[in-house]
């Protein structure tokens, strides 16, 4: 990555754009503020609620765990960058052995390239002419840049070829295999897959280098159905290879793997036979980097294979109780603008008062307004106006995108870094 671009993030000035940060930090650079090592919980240090924080220790644990997991199972790893859209985290993921970064739309690729990411896997179809021309320019200007994207229709291939015109080197594509009827993108039949592969072969500007898919879209997913889909994906790669459709590819890409079934991906990809070129078995899980306290905690494969380790939820949203109108109800000052709520509501975890932290017993988040969390308080729940309440979140993707600058805090609340996001 371009270390100078990362370094410039530390030179950005703190101001009103970044919620939760100390008002008296306005005018400091992000690097200067980080060097002060302020504490989230020390009133004199000035952090204002609500404020989202990442655990320094848990973040590092998750990065190391997935690096070890991928290596153990012979997988290359291209974590999905759309989760965080944070170049600093891209950098740390690459330092922890990632092959490259997966992305979903052209804007995200532009962010990654601005920070020097050299390998991008676009887990999506790409038919926008201006974006294709820009990517062709990046490929022409940088011989070390590797870019791969999906194709799933003859029409899409034709649009890509027309937009690219004349290129210095072909754009690498993989045929996406749909996960079943009613699933998302991807070819639905073997005949469709062969037709798309033929169209790529006829295109002057494209090169077929593999197959890919997303097992998270398998209808009524269970281990048997997911493995069946992944085996069809592998079979398609084998068939393409036997037909000579990967001619010219230095390696054959076979890619899958969201955050719910990467254990099945590891198992089935071990069955890939020898092909005419080395096989890049590319896993794309993204939510692991922060994990969560809801949806992904329930569905993580590590719950099925505990001997491989466990991810740790790294996010906590700190809000302040601002109203206690009845013994059964309280309100905190964080809402839909601050917390993910598309999969689960936040969960009340701890309460802080006077520097003492205790479990949030008897407190439940029952709803969110734009700027308020509705709290149900059971008999005996010890909560009062002014208390800070720590909320666990569900769905990392929609947690990151609500915050432009996120403090990274050690266990005692000392903030050691700030993560910049680009959504």
């Amino acid at each position: 990555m371009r270390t100078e671009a990362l370094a410039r993030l530390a030179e950005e000035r703190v101001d009103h754009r970044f919620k939760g940060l100390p008002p008296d930090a306005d005018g400091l650079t992000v690097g200067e503020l980080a060097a002060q090592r302020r504490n989230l919980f020390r009133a004199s240090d000035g952090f204002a609620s609500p404020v989202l924080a990442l655990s320094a220790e848990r973040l590092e644990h998750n990065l190391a765990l997935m690096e070890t997991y991928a290596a153990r199972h012979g997988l290359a790893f291209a974590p999905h960058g759309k989760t965080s859209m944070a170049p600093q985290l891209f950098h740390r993921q690459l330092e922890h052995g990632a092959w490259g970064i997966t992305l979903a739309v052209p804007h995200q690729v532009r962010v990654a390239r601005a920070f020097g990411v050299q390998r991008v896997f676009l887990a999506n179809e790409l038919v926008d002419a201006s974006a294709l021309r820009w990517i062709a320019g990046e490929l022409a200007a940088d011989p070390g840049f590797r870019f791969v994207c999906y194709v799933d229709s003859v029409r899409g291939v034709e649009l890509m070829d027309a937009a690219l015109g004349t290129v210095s080197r072909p754009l690498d594509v993989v045929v996406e295999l749909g996960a079943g009827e009613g699933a998302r993108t991807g070819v639905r039949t073997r005949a469709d897959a062969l037709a798309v592969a033929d169209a790529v072969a006829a295109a002057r500007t494209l090169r077929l280098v593999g197959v890919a898919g997303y097992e998270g879209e398998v209808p009524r997913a269970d281990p048997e159905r997911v493995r069946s889909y992944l085996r069809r994906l592998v079979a398609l790669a084998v068939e393409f290879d036997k037909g000579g459709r990967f001619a010219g590819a230095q390696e054959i890409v076979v890619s899958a793997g969201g955050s719910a079934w990467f254990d099945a991906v590891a198992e089935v990809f071990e069955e890939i036979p020898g092909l005419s070129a080395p096989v890049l078995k590319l896993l794309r899980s993204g939510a692991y980097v922060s994990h969560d306290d809801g949806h992904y905690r329930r569905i993580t494969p590590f719950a099925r294979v505990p001997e491989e380790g466990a991810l740790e939820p790294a996010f906590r949203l700190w809000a302040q109780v601002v109203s206690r109108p009845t013994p059964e109800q309280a309100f905190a000052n964080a809402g839909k603008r601050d917390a993910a709520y598309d999969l689960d509501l936040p969960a009340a975890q701890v309460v802080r008062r006077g520097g003492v932290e205790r479990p949030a017993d008897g407190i439940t988040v029952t709803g969110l307004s734009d700027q308020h969390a509705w709290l149900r308080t059971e008999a005996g729940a010890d909560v009062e106006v002014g208390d800070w309440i720590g909320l666990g979140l569900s769905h990392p993707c929609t947690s990151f995108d609500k915050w432009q600058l996120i403090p990274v805090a050690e266990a005692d609340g000392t903030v050691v870094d700030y993560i910049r996001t680009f959504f």
Side-chain angles (χ1 to χ4, degrees):
M1 291 190 72
R2 294 175 183 157
T3 54
E4 69 277 10
L6 290 171
R8 283 197 294 273
L9 292 178
E11 298 169 2
E12 191 167 12
R13 295 287 173 182
V14 175
D15 59 24
H16 59 274
R17 292 170 296 164
F18 306 127
K19 58 186 180 181
L21 301 190
D24 70 348
D26 281 8
L28 296 176
T29 67
V30 172
E32 289 168 344
L33 180 57
Q36 292 181 355
R37 296 177 64 87
R38 299 196 190 194
N39 193 286
L40 284 174
F41 309 124
R42 191 162 50 230
S44 60
D45 284 355
F47 285 94
S49 62
V51 59
L52 180 67
L54 272 168
S55 162
E57 296 87 356
R58 292 183 170 196
L59 180 62
E60 177 59 30
H61 168 85
N62 293 342
L63 290 165
L65 181 64
M66 284 303 292
E67 178 184 17
T68 299
Y69 182 89
R72 182 184 300 127
H73 292 281
L75 301 169
F77 189 31
H80 211 317
K82 57 96 176 173
T83 296
S84 71
M85 285 308 298
Q88 292 151 287
L89 295 183
F90 296 172
H91 178 65
R92 292 184 64 175
Q93 289 169 318
L94 293 167
E95 284 187 323
H96 277 275
W99 170 90
I101 300 295
T102 295
L103 296 163
V105 294
H107 163 257
Q108 295 171 357
V109 182
R110 290 189 63 195
V111 172
R113 288 298 291 158
F115 289 87
V117 174
Q118 288 294 88
R119 292 173 177 163
V120 169
F121 187 93
L122 189 75
N124 205 348
E125 282 68 27
L126 178 59
V127 296
D128 180 88
S130 62
L132 283 161
R133 289 192 294 268
W134 176 78
I135 287 169
E138 291 290 294
L139 290 167
D142 184 355
F145 177 40
R146 177 87 191 276
F147 178 85
V148 183
C149 72
Y150 287 176
V151 290
D152 76 347
S153 69
V154 172
R155 173 64 173 160
V157 169
E158 292 170 348
L159 289 171
M160 294 177 76
D161 195 38
L164 289 167
T166 302
V167 295
S168 58
R169 56 182 170 127
L171 191 152
D172 289 342
V173 298
V174 294
V175 171
E176 183 193 8
L177 178 65
E181 290 305 315
R184 205 161 58 190
T185 52
V187 296
R188 294 303 198 253
T189 68
R190 173 181 175 274
D192 289 342
L194 293 171
V196 172
D198 287 341
V200 172
R204 299 160 299 151
T205 61
L206 305 179
R207 175 172 56 192
L208 185 64
V209 298
V211 299
Y214 176 46
E215 74 292 339
E217 283 287 315
V218 170
R220 303 180 306 282
D222 62 25
E224 182 178 350
R225 290 189 179 95
V226 168
R227 290 186 181 93
S228 175
Y229 164 71
L230 291 168
R231 290 189 174 107
R232 284 193 287 117
L233 182 67
V234 170
L236 184 63
V238 172
E239 180 175 4
F240 279 0
D241 191 49
K242 286 181 178 178
R245 295 179 182 277
F246 297 134
Q250 295 183 339
E251 62 183 2
I252 296 169
V253 179
V254 183
S255 179
S259 296
W261 295 102
F262 55 74
D263 56 334
V265 173
E267 178 184 326
V268 173
F269 279 14
E270 286 180 0
E271 304 169 1
I272 297 176
L275 301 180
S276 62
V279 178
L280 184 73
K281 304 174 183 179
L282 197 61
L283 182 70
R284 307 192 306 269
S285 309
Y288 83 100
V289 69
S290 67
H291 198 44
D292 74 3
D293 281 294
H295 180 72
Y296 286 99
R297 172 175 259 177
R298 292 192 296 273
I299 68 172
T300 176
F302 285 115
R304 296 188 290 271
V305 285
E307 66 276 10
E308 301 246 34
L311 294 169
E312 297 177 351
F315 269 138
R316 182 164 282 173
L317 177 63
W318 290 98
Q320 195 166 27
V321 177
V322 294
S323 179
R324 187 86 157 93
T326 73
E328 297 80 27
Q329 197 171 46
F331 291 87
N333 64 345
K336 293 178 180 178
R337 306 294 185 187
D338 313 298
Y341 60 93
D342 53 323
L343 295 178
D344 299 292
L345 289 172
Q349 294 180 327
V350 295
V351 174
R352 290 187 66 93
R353 182 190 305 157
V356 177
E357 186 172 298
R358 63 184 186 281
D361 295 334
I363 304 172
T364 304
V365 179
T366 59
L368 295 177
S369 300
D370 282 351
Q371 305 292 174
H372 289 91
W374 295 57
L375 308 177
R376 184 179 67 241
T377 54
E378 299 175 7
D382 183 12
V383 59
E384 60 186 38
V385 171
D387 289 348
W388 279 49
I389 184 163
L391 303 173
L393 302 178
S394 183
H395 199 185
C397 301
T398 45
S399 298
F400 275 105
D401 73 5
K402 295 177 182 295
W403 295 82
Q404 294 185 66
L405 196 61
I406 304 171
V408 179
E410 294 178 339
D412 67 352
T414 300
V415 176
V416 296
D417 199 1
Y418 295 84
I419 299 296
R420 184 72 158 93
T421 64
F422 292 84
F423 284 94

